[in-house]
Amino acid sequence: MIDISNLSIQFTGENLFEGVNLRISRHDKVALVGSNGTGKSTFLKLLYGIEQPETGSIKKQKGIRIGYLPQDIIAFRGQTLFNEVKTSLPDIRSLDERERLVLENLNDQTISEEDRAEVLEELGEIHLRKDQIDFYSADSRIEKVLMGLGFREKDFFRRTEEFSGGWQMRIQMAKILLSQNDLLLMDEPTNHLDIDTLGWLIDYLQSSDAALLIISHDRHFINCVTNRTIEVFDRQINFYSGNYSQYLVYKEEREKQLLALQKNREKRKKEIEGFVERFRYKASKARQVQSRVKQLEKIETIDLASDEKKIELRFPDPPKSGVVPVEIKNLNHSYGSLDVLKNVNLQIEREDKIAIVGPNGAGKTTLAKIIASKLTATNGTITLGHNTILSYYEQEVADSIDPEYDLIDALEEVNNDLSAGQLRGILGSFLFSGDDVFKKIKVLSGGERSRVALSRLLLTKANLIILDEPTNHLDFSSKAILQEALMNFSGTLIIVSHDIDFLRPIVNKVIEIRDCFVKVFPGDIDYYMLKRQEILEQKTEAVETSSADKTNRKDQKRIEAELRQKKFAATKELRAKLEKCEKEVANLEELKSKLESELSDAKIFTNPQLAKEKNLEYEKTKVELDTTYHLWTELSDKLKGIEKSFDAN
């Protein structure tokens, strides 16, 4: 699908890549890994065409469709959310427009029959194409993706400019997911996702036919969605089979082999150097010495990746807090008329390691800030226990560091018991090396300031640490170092994060915030994920059962209606005859009663001729009444039989 030949590119005068040769095939699901600054994002830009290589070529399959999700947020303006996302389906829009024009032509009264036939043929082609691209399900597909990415139905017709940065990224993600691309290039797609949306995205990408090339420091995410790994190392890009965890196993084995090879070469080098030094001035050995010197020149140096596991950082042992560092009772919080937290009652125990999870906007950061006394709850009480010393990290905390400090100053302010070398070691673990440590805080990017704030956190003597999304600007190495430090921390931790792999070895309790209410899961993040899946399955079953019940009721009503219609059709003529018969019976009974009254009248029975006529009419009426009664009985019995046959069904 994409062939890369002899690719090289420079940045600030140095080569990021040299002589890269690579092929990306149609069904590759690839994680792009490497240390920060090695050129991963640049590589995606090269593939998409934003950047151009210094040398070499990138050959793409003809007609290939590539979707690109940059790390930098794109701002959408001028349309509703739904319409903006719909622009990612160009065939839908063009077919709509073509059909509109064709229908206008058909409604033209002056069009000739020959032209009308051609227009009708084009209309048929449009309808065929609509079927081919699943045109009529487009709106439901858009709705499904938007809901999966955390948007609500009421958001669909909001203007795109009303959404914040993280939601803007989701709009772009929705567009590239719906565009039926052959290859998706995604740079840190999970940075602004909550744990629910992350799960949905994993399922979506696992079922997608598109090839993937993803940069992400979320190990759980890339392990779930990738089956190959590209490593950027030492200006080269190398392909490995397997996901990131499998790649790490291979990498460790490779490092062992290279280390053994390096030791053998060092041993051989020392042997040769010893021979040269011993016989350098002996004329009889001159040729052999020269031969050994040439051998030395041919021994190549082996590049080894830095041994990241050697870096170990620990929090200073904090003083013990009381058994219950934090207790929350009947806490409620709202922003104006918007309720965020309702009736929260929590008891956080000493040495708890807690993850706070939930959808974006559920109130995770709000709860963290209330516990940290950065925000006052609308009502309720929060009590810090005996000897609780609290430290709070959020990305905005970095803005409170004196901008005139250099990085060493920023750390010394927190803890001046460590040497400059120790402070440099801590900064190095958070990606600051060499002269970087003398940079002023004011010249750092937002991500760099956040890393400084995290490094300061490692020097605090707090026994309750609250961290809000601490891994957003960290690579795998820095995350592993912070993770190890938090695992060994002897105090109490509260972490707001969606990074499952980061949380996995740390937390022993999960607090979920959903629909304003808090629920505690007494177990690690895997236990929470299992219980969450069970809850979702139960809801799905309930919805399916409800849907089935509704369908059954609907079908039953339809069947009953059809039976009523059939019953009505089968008895319509009979009922009409019966109704006519009943009217005749009524009329004849009335006439019979009238004739009986007249025959008892002296004026009639004293008049032989008139009496005879009335008697004849009376007898005739009685016969007709008996006949009509008999017919009514037959019709009534027949109607009851038909109705009974329908009722039996």
Side-chain angles (χ1 to χ4, degrees), residues 233-236 254-255 258-259 261-262 265 300-306:
F233 173 66
D234 193 28
R235 298 182 298 281
Q236 292 295 312
R254 180 190 65 183
E255 289 297 312
L258 288 176
L259 186 60
L261 183 59
Q262 184 189 44
R265 288 187 179 181
E300 297 178 355
T301 302
I302 297 175
D303 290 319
L304 292 172
S306 59

Side-chain angles (χ1 to χ4, degrees), residues 365-366 368-377 390-394 397 400:
T365 294
T366 297
K369 284 185 173 181
I370 289 172
I371 296 172
S373 300
K374 302 293 181 181
L375 186 66
T376 303
L390 189 147
S391 182
Y392 175 65
Y393 167 84
E394 62 174 344
V397 166
S400 65

Side-chain angles (χ1 to χ4, degrees), residues 435-447:
D435 291 340
D436 287 344
V437 300
F438 301 114
K439 286 182 178 178
K440 298 287 187 185
I441 296 295
K442 64 184 179 183
V443 303
L444 301 181
S445 67

Side-chain angles (χ1 to χ4, degrees), residues 144-418:
K144 178 183 176 182
V145 169
L146 287 176
M147 297 287 280
L149 289 173
F151 293 99
R152 297 162 295 181
E153 283 189 49
K154 64 181 182 180
D155 294 326
F156 290 177
F157 300 102
R158 287 175 59 192
R159 308 289 290 181
T160 52
E161 55 265 31
E162 296 176 24
F163 293 96
S164 62
W167 292 100
Q168 292 278 352
M169 184 278 288
R170 296 190 195 204
I171 295 173
Q172 175 68 359
M173 187 181 291
K175 293 180 69 171
I176 73 166
L177 292 179
L178 285 161
S179 295
Q180 297 179 325
N181 292 293
D182 302 300
L183 171 64
L184 299 180
L185 308 174
M186 308 179 84
D187 195 347
E188 296 291 356
T190 68
N191 268 0
H192 300 279
L193 302 184
D194 55 57
I195 205 162
D196 289 355
T197 310
L198 178 64
W200 178 88
L201 181 61
I202 287 171
D203 290 342
Y204 190 96
L205 293 178
Q206 284 176 339
S207 62
S208 172
D209 292 329
L212 303 175
L213 187 53
I214 298 175
I215 299 170
S216 175
H217 293 133
D218 188 324
R219 183 167 169 173
H220 171 76
F221 171 69
I222 60 171
N223 274 337
C224 287
V225 301
T226 65
N227 54 26
R228 304 190 75 184
T229 303
I230 290 179
E231 178 196 48
V232 184
F233 173 66
D234 193 28
R235 298 182 298 281
Q236 292 295 312
I237 297 179
N238 300 302
F239 237 135
Y240 301 95
S241 294
N243 62 19
Y244 182 72
S245 289
Q246 292 165 328
Y247 152 75
L248 287 180
V249 173
Y250 171 83
K251 181 184 176 183
E252 186 175 356
E253 184 59 34
R254 180 190 65 183
E255 289 297 312
K256 287 179 182 177
Q257 292 174 357
L258 288 176
L259 186 60
L261 183 59
Q262 184 189 44
K263 286 180 178 178
N264 287 335
R265 288 187 179 181
E266 287 293 330
K267 182 181 177 182
R268 178 62 178 155
K269 186 178 178 181
K270 285 180 180 179
E271 289 173 353
I272 294 171
E273 286 174 341
F275 182 89
V276 170
E277 188 63 29
R278 183 178 177 186
F279 298 108
R280 181 187 296 275
Y281 302 108
K282 201 166 186 177
S284 62
K285 298 285 186 180
R287 293 181 67 182
Q288 291 170 290
V289 168
Q290 288 299 316
S291 174
R292 298 294 197 281
V293 170
K294 287 180 180 178
Q295 288 178 19
L296 276 175
E297 292 173 352
K298 290 180 180 178
I299 295 176
E300 297 178 355
T301 302
I302 297 175
D303 290 319
L304 292 172
S306 59
D307 192 352
E308 296 158 354
K309 292 185 178 179
K310 287 181 180 177
I311 302 173
E312 290 186 6
L313 296 177
R314 295 183 69 92
F315 286 93
D317 289 330
K320 271 197 172 184
S321 68
V323 176
V324 180
V326 179
E327 187 169 21
I328 299 171
K329 291 184 178 179
N330 304 320
L331 186 143
N332 297 277
H333 191 74
S334 59
Y335 295 102
S337 60
L338 177 64
D339 291 326
V340 179
L341 298 169
K342 290 182 180 179
N343 196 32
V344 177
N345 289 277
L346 284 174
Q347 194 175 77
I348 295 170
E349 299 175 351
R350 185 174 60 209
E351 297 183 14
D352 268 350
K353 305 291 191 292
I354 298 170
I356 300 181
V357 301
N360 279 0
K364 303 186 295 293
T365 294
T366 297
L367 181 59
K369 284 185 173 181
I370 289 172
I371 296 172
S373 300
K374 302 293 181 181
L375 186 66
T376 303
T378 304
N379 53 59
T381 61
I382 176 164
T383 306
L384 295 184
H386 170 70
N387 202 36
T388 297
I389 306 168
L390 189 147
S391 182
Y392 175 65
Y393 167 84
E394 62 174 344
Q395 292 180 34
E396 289 76 7
V397 166
D399 295 332
S400 65
I401 304 172
D402 190 329
E404 294 301 323
Y405 278 173
D406 63 27
L407 274 60
I408 295 289
D409 293 334
L411 267 62
E412 282 184 335
E413 183 186 37
V414 180
N415 189 326
N416 58 12
D417 295 334
L418 300 180

Side-chain angles (χ1 to χ4, degrees), residues 596-607:
E596 286 174 347
S597 296
E598 288 177 345
L599 286 171
S600 63
D601 188 343
K603 291 181 180 179
I604 293 176
F605 69 73
T606 56
N607 185 334

Side-chain angles (χ1 to χ4, degrees), residues 30 40 101 140 146 162 174 187 201 209 219 358 386 448 487 517 579:
V30 183
K40 301 187 298 294
L101 294 173
S140 63
L146 287 176
E162 296 176 24
D187 195 347
L201 181 61
D209 292 329
R219 183 167 169 173
H386 170 70
E448 288 172 329
M487 287 166 59
F517 293 98
E579 186 178 351

Side-chain angles (χ1 to χ4, degrees), residues 489-500:
F489 178 58
S490 59
T492 307
L493 282 176
I494 298 173
I495 308 173
V496 177
S497 177
H498 65 266
D499 192 326
I500 294 168

